[in-house]
Amino acid sequence: MKSSNDKGCHEAFPLVRLRAMEPEDLDMLYRIENDKTLWNVGTTNVPYSRYALHDYMANVSNDIYVDRQLRLIVENGDGETVGIVDLVDFDPQHRRAEIGIVIANKYRCRGYATEALGLLAEYAVSVLHLHQLYVVVDAYNEPSVALFSKLGYSTVSLIKDWLFDGKKYHDALLMQTFL
């Protein structure tokens, strides 16, 4: 599998591993959840305290059927934590879930997102027996739209004024893939 990025990034598709969160991931989770530049691409728009995140990590069951979500850490081949990938709004009756991913700035454009999303899709179909995954992406987030398009996601809807960045509204794309 080969791909290119319009921004000139070279992706070598390194090996990644998805694993459960560990206590040592608290600092990285804190940085991601409190990164204001990410707030307009998701549903989080308030800062989280270390205590709240610690409490979340301590109390999450890591059972997607109980939590209706699954958050996994993305590690590269050197064992470095490079990001987080999520399944949220898990619906076992209709066999679907929303997918999300954040790769830390210094690890972007190296193929980690492509590999992590591929592994998560494999897990979704082989273990959870899901029929579809979907994502809501800012319509002007060209790298994310390109990433999900490359992975076989199709745009099924333009959602007007869906995301608010604190100053203006952004249109979003609902993209889905069938497994």
Side-chain angles (χ1 to χ4, degrees):
M1 183 180 348
K2 294 186 178 204
S3 86
S4 62
N5 183 307
D6 294 334
K7 304 284 183 193
C9 298
H10 175 69
E11 297 180 329
F13 299 105
L15 292 174
V16 296
R17 180 173 80 101
L18 303 181
R19 63 167 176 80
M21 289 185 300
E22 298 288 349
E24 57 269 16
D25 297 318
L26 179 61
D27 288 339
M28 187 264 314
L29 187 62
Y30 179 80
R31 282 190 305 277
I32 287 174
E33 293 291 354
N34 289 292
D35 183 347
K36 291 180 184 178
T37 65
L38 299 174
W39 288 359
N40 64 334
V41 297
T43 57
T44 299
N45 61 1
V46 295
Y48 282 91
S49 69
R50 285 183 194 283
Y51 176 80
L53 293 170
H54 180 272
D55 189 52
Y56 163 76
M57 291 173 71
N59 291 304
V60 69
S61 72
N62 282 329
D63 180 343
I64 194 167
Y65 292 94
V66 173
D67 299 330
R68 296 293 195 239
Q69 66 177 358
L70 177 66
R71 174 169 277 180
L72 298 170
I73 301 299
V74 181
E75 281 187 349
N76 66 14
D78 295 327
E80 299 169 303
T81 299
V82 300
I84 299 173
V85 67
D86 298 304
L87 287 176
V88 297
D89 292 332
F90 172 65
D91 187 331
Q93 178 184 354
H94 300 293
R95 298 175 47 209
R96 67 178 174 240
E98 182 176 356
I99 197 166
I101 188 165
V102 175
I103 300 295
N105 283 335
K106 73 179 190 175
Y107 295 106
R108 290 185 183 161
C109 298
R110 298 184 188 183
Y112 295 131
T114 301
E115 288 293 307
L117 290 169
L119 287 174
L120 191 60
E122 287 176 26
Y123 174 81
V125 72
S126 65
V127 176
L128 300 176
H129 309 292
L130 294 186
H131 173 64
Q132 64 180 295
L133 295 173
Y134 66 94
V135 62
V136 176
V137 180
D138 185 314
Y140 300 102
N141 183 340
E142 292 175 13
S144 289
V145 172
L147 170 67
F148 285 101
S149 294
K150 175 178 65 179
L151 291 170
Y153 285 72
S154 299
T155 299
V156 294
S157 181
L158 171 71
I159 311 169
K160 301 295 281 179
D161 291 349
W162 194 254
L163 302 170
F164 185 66
D165 68 8
K167 296 179 185 169
K168 65 179 183 173
Y169 287 93
H170 297 252
D171 295 344
L173 299 176
L174 173 61
M175 302 177 78
Q176 74 181 143
T177 190
F178 295 95
L179 306 170

